[in-house]
Amino acid sequence: MPPLVAAAAARRPRLWPSRSRRARPAEARAAALRALPRRLELWPQRLASVESTPPPSPAPPEPESISSLDAGSGGGDSGGDGGGGADLGWLRVFPHVLTASMANFLFGYHIGVMNGPIEDIARELGFQGNPFLQGLVVSIFIVGAFFGSLSSSALVDKFGCKKTLQIDSIPLIIGAFLSAQADSLDEMLLGRFLVGIGIGVNTVLVPLYISEVAPTKYRGFLGTLCQIGTCLGIIGALSLGIPSESNPHWWRTMLYAACVPGFLIVVGMQFAVESPRWLAKVGRFDDARKVVESLWEPSEVDKSMEEIKAVVANDDSQSSWSDLLVEPHNRVALIGGSLFFLQQFAGINGVLYFSSLTFRDVGITSGALASLYVGITNFGGALVASNLMDKQGRKNLLIGSYLGMAFAMFLIVYGISFPLDEGVAHSLSITGTLLYIFTFALGAGPVTGIIIPELSSARTRSKVMGFSFTVHWICNFLVGLYFLELVNKFGVGAVYAGFGGVSLLTALFAYNFIVETKGRSLEEIEMSMSPATPGKRE
């Protein structure tokens, strides 16, 4: 029996008074036997009296034990709905996670900022007509993100989430400033590389921070702010980039603007709370309790702190990368790496790249406008996901998302590969592209970043996240590098059919290997996955 369950059982009040085990004297036994017939005669009268007596008021409920959380009660800090009214319990933690998710806004902004002005940048910096160097300006960002992901664990374990977000804003600000005032290719590459480092750290850090700060009941909803922030960043960059079509120097203004969110993160995180799990991990239990009391339901504070302390007590040594090779951490690392591997090879970046050509076929010649339509669709899907995440659960959304992506891919393949009317074929391609983006935003995008820190233990959470996002950036780079080559060799239909096949495979993977985490505290999930404390896997 887990220690917390044992403690709850020990506190349970006795229903019956204790009885002495000493034998009663013979005279007392004889007297009791003589009185037995009289008692049997009075029993019907007593029974009628009991039936006519109002029932006593119910005893106060016992404290809920950990085992009851499997029913989806939302251990740790489930909160109420205010007696049937609007459930606004998430408002207390929202400013903190919103500030942190501005880092995802920057991620999306730097994805979209090069979408239109890359030709103007190449012309002004002297590498126009060189597709390799143009690709290098874009892809050096991914190389920096790879190194940022690898270094994120050491920073988070040492400084905590709050300070790391502030420290990490330095390369984001400097990198954007260097890129904006660049007069040579080398300066542009250095600026983009620094931005990539900052983004690599933040993509690991923000979902980790949200998972550890958010109350259990709202953790899925608040976790989708990562995806929503990324979508808004892309939309913001594309919208701000519209004047670049008539102003060849506008790209500098766009890159200068990228410095502003970095400064806002530095200032905003000064007023944000630190992760209570990290505070407990470094022995600052009083500070951890203050955070929990300020953000979670008052009735859940004691139980949440007991869970956190129990987990910290079981993992009192420093973690290392070698921990990812032993059970159960190796299983979680394998799931995290596989989810990002399959996500990237399901074709999201290829579809995003090819979407501008798809829209061009139906008369939308502006690449920025086409990308804006895609960004708005992505944003709409993320909003729907935020409403469903804590209702339908992570596993269901992930499976449904990849099934929808597979259907969308096969719809595009049908429109491309079969002899159809040109208008019908173009309509199928547009519908399939937007459906793919929408269903990706429902699950494959947000759930992947939410569920990995939920499945990870407190001891290895930062390292599992760092490893998983390192796999993400490697696969992202490979898909971007070989996508056009594969299209030229096999055709769009064959490549998209491959993306559809990977999407089906990922849905099957999620069905068989993903554990549902909805409504369960991080500590309960950790204890259920520990070999020493077997729990129910859903």
Side-chain angles (χ1 to χ4, degrees), residues 12-14 25 34 60 103 116-117 158 184 196 212 215 264 305 325 397-398 416 419 428 434 491 496 509 518:
R12 185 175 295 122
R14 289 181 179 270
R34 287 194 299 270
K158 182 175 179 61
S184 67
E212 294 194 346
L264 293 178
M305 287 305 302
L325 301 177
L397 282 181
L398 199 61
I416 292 174
L428 288 177
L434 294 179
Y496 274 27
F509 175 86
K518 178 190 70 171

Side-chain angles (χ1 to χ4, degrees), residues 22-23 25 44 48 60 79 140 146 159 178 197 200 216 245 269 328 386 407 411 434 442 449 464 502-503 529:
R22 291 178 298 176
I140 196 69
F146 169 82
F159 299 108
L178 285 176
I197 290 177
T216 300
E245 297 183 2
M269 288 308 297
S386 70
F407 175 78
L411 189 66
L434 294 179
L442 281 180
V464 170
V502 173
S503 297
M529 297 191 69

Side-chain angles (χ1 to χ4, degrees), residues 306-328:
E306 285 181 8
E307 291 181 352
I308 293 173
K309 288 179 180 179
V311 167
V312 171
N314 291 330
D315 290 320
D316 56 354
S317 59
Q318 291 294 322
S319 65
S320 65
W321 286 102
S322 61
D323 289 335
L324 301 189
L325 301 177
V326 299
E327 187 75 18

Side-chain angles (χ1 to χ4, degrees), residues 78-164:
S78 55
D81 60 2
D87 188 354
L88 301 177
W90 52 272
L91 282 177
R92 284 176 290 183
V93 73
F94 186 74
H96 306 276
V97 298
L98 179 64
T99 303
S101 64
M102 287 176 60
N104 286 87
F105 176 89
L106 264 180
F107 175 35
Y109 188 89
H110 283 289
I111 289 175
V113 75
M114 290 290 171
N115 191 280
I118 185 63
E119 292 291 342
D120 295 331
I121 295 172
R123 186 182 306 110
E124 190 165 341
L125 300 186
F127 56 94
Q128 185 180 14
N130 190 326
F132 173 78
L133 292 180
Q134 291 185 24
L136 185 61
V137 168
V138 176
S139 61
I140 196 69
F141 168 87
I142 299 175
V143 176
F146 169 82
F147 288 106
S149 295
L150 283 179
S151 64
S152 60
S153 174
L155 292 171
V156 175
D157 289 344
K158 182 175 179 61
F159 299 108
C161 297
K162 178 177 175 178
K163 285 187 178 179
T164 302

Side-chain angles (χ1 to χ4, degrees), residues 12-19:
R12 185 175 295 122
R14 289 181 179 270
L15 297 179
W16 304 102
S18 60
R19 301 188 181 189

Side-chain angles (χ1 to χ4, degrees), residues 338-355:
S338 299
L339 282 177
F340 274 121
F341 175 89
L342 293 168
Q343 181 202 68
Q344 291 302 303
F345 283 97
I348 179 61
N349 287 303
V351 173
L352 289 174
Y353 179 87
F354 216 73
S355 62

